[in-house]
Amino acid sequence: QVQLVESGGGTVQAGGSLRLSCAASGHTESWYKMGWFRQAPGKEREFVARISWSSGLRYYADSVKGRFTISRDNAKNTVNLQMNSLKSEDTAVYYCAASARLTIRPDEYDYWGQGTQVTVSS
């Protein structure tokens, strides 16, 4: 079992920045891939970014490329999402997730956090 807890959400004006963190505990494995997803009201959950614990290899959705940066701290078992130049369309609940597979499909992630709200006001 893996437990994931997100933090760092809040309300920010358009153009501003927020940093989300995901603390992982339990049977965390170096081969896990950690992802960030988001879900806006009335929409499906969508992939945002992914990083491999071991290699640090990153992958981003086109909608956030150049604005968001995913990183990990292996010693602290945390994954972070630095979000810059935020837009109103970034408003959503953001979730941290873990998968044994290199994937962007939410149904292929095995563990999920409870989510943290990000609201971008225009």
Side-chain angles (χ1 to χ4, degrees):
Q1 283 285 358
V2 175
Q3 293 79 43
L4 303 172
V5 179
E6 302 97 335
S7 61
T11 299
V12 65
Q13 287 191 333
S17 299
L18 277 176
R19 183 178 176 87
L20 306 182
S21 290
C22 173
S25 61
H27 291 288
T28 56
E29 303 291 345
S30 62
W31 38 264
Y32 271 134
K33 285 68 177 174
M34 302 298 297
W36 283 97
F37 291 80
R38 64 187 182 187
Q39 188 165 19
K43 294 188 176 182
E44 293 186 352
R45 193 167 296 189
E46 66 170 355
F47 169 78
V48 174
R50 179 192 70 209
I51 190 167
S52 296
W53 270 123
S54 55
S55 68
L57 185 66
R58 299 170 173 87
Y59 184 75
Y60 297 93
D62 287 343
S63 59
V64 306
K65 203 173 294 183
R67 300 188 297 123
F68 290 12
T69 302
I70 189 171
S71 63
R72 93 269 194 234
D73 185 331
N74 287 7
K76 295 181 180 179
N77 266 10
T78 58
V79 176
N80 303 305
L81 186 69
Q82 177 67 42
M83 305 186 295
N84 299 328
S85 302
L86 283 161
K87 306 175 182 179
S88 57
E89 51 263 44
D90 294 320
T91 295
V93 177
Y94 282 70
Y95 298 90
C96 174
S99 175
R101 287 164 282 193
L102 195 64
T103 180
I104 64 171
R105 291 178 50 172
D107 62 339
E108 293 183 343
Y109 278 74
D110 306 301
Y111 302 99
W112 291 85
Q114 81 289 351
T116 185
Q117 177 70 47
V118 171
T119 302
V120 183
S121 60
S122 55

